[in-house]
Amino acid sequence: MPVPHIRHATPDDEDTLGRLDRATWSTLHSVQPCPRPPYPPFFGERFGPRDHLVAELDGTVVGYVRLGLPTPLACHAHVRQIQGLAVAEEARAAGVGRALLRAVVAEAARQGARRITLRVLGHNTPARRLYESEGFVVEGVLPEEFLLDGAYVDDVFMGRRL
């Protein structure tokens, strides 16, 4: 099985990441409505290429992770937050998600962060298992925070020290 190559995104990844994001959309992990044309740009004012790590298998982009600040507050600058992670269907169970997660944890530490956090929907068992296996712990739960496909879903806050 090939090992995922992780790199920083570049502006040239715009279309590929946008397509990947739309192809992987699901209420398993997204609270946003299903994307419809015209599609907004993948990179924007808030998150650019510098905020994304990309996974490639055999030269093909198969995943990404977005890392940002949870708030713009100076007193919160020691924390980074994973604000998106997607893996192409054909690359799942190939270690891509784990490689992205390990790389983003290392990137947060390189940036001087002391903690890294994320939010995950309560019913997203595969993601929660992955995060827990990489040292993230549940730090809070907002019960029935979202109504998705007619069911109430918890918003789970997870974090770990770096």
Side-chain angles (χ1 to χ4, degrees):
M1 182 179 298
V3 176
H5 169 69
I6 308 297
R7 63 172 174 79
H8 285 274
T10 69
D12 291 342
D13 292 315
E14 168 81 34
D15 291 339
T16 301
L17 293 178
R19 283 192 304 275
L20 176 64
D21 203 46
R22 292 186 296 273
T24 58
W25 180 91
S26 164
T27 55
L28 181 63
H29 58 78
S30 181
V31 297
Q32 299 294 326
C34 184
R36 303 268 184 248
Y39 302 118
F42 184 81
F43 298 129
E45 216 173 275
R46 186 165 177 217
F47 296 109
R50 73 190 174 285
D51 304 307
H52 294 82
L53 297 176
V54 172
E56 295 178 332
L57 283 176
D58 297 324
T60 300
V61 172
V62 294
Y64 77 85
V65 62
R66 178 180 298 134
L67 183 66
L69 295 166
T71 70
L73 300 170
C75 63
H76 208 193
H78 63 285
V79 179
R80 294 296 180 279
Q81 189 171 60
I82 295 171
Q83 298 186 351
L85 188 147
V87 175
E89 186 71 36
E90 66 273 13
R92 294 195 180 150
V96 174
R98 185 172 306 280
L100 283 167
L101 194 55
R102 288 178 178 174
V104 80
V105 165
E107 176 63 16
R110 188 194 66 73
Q111 292 178 13
R114 292 175 44 105
R115 286 180 31 80
I116 187 168
T117 63
L118 60 87
R119 292 168 67 177
V120 60
L121 294 174
H123 65 257
N124 192 344
T125 304
R128 290 181 64 181
R129 281 191 188 131
L130 172 63
Y131 300 142
E132 288 169 357
S133 74
E134 290 297 321
F136 286 80
V137 296
V138 173
E139 297 180 340
V141 176
L142 298 173
E144 300 183 353
E145 189 70 4
F146 300 106
L147 178 60
L148 303 173
D149 289 339
Y152 291 99
V153 179
D154 295 349
D155 187 10
V156 180
F157 190 82
M158 299 181 80
R160 65 168 275 191
R161 289 184 180 270
L162 298 176

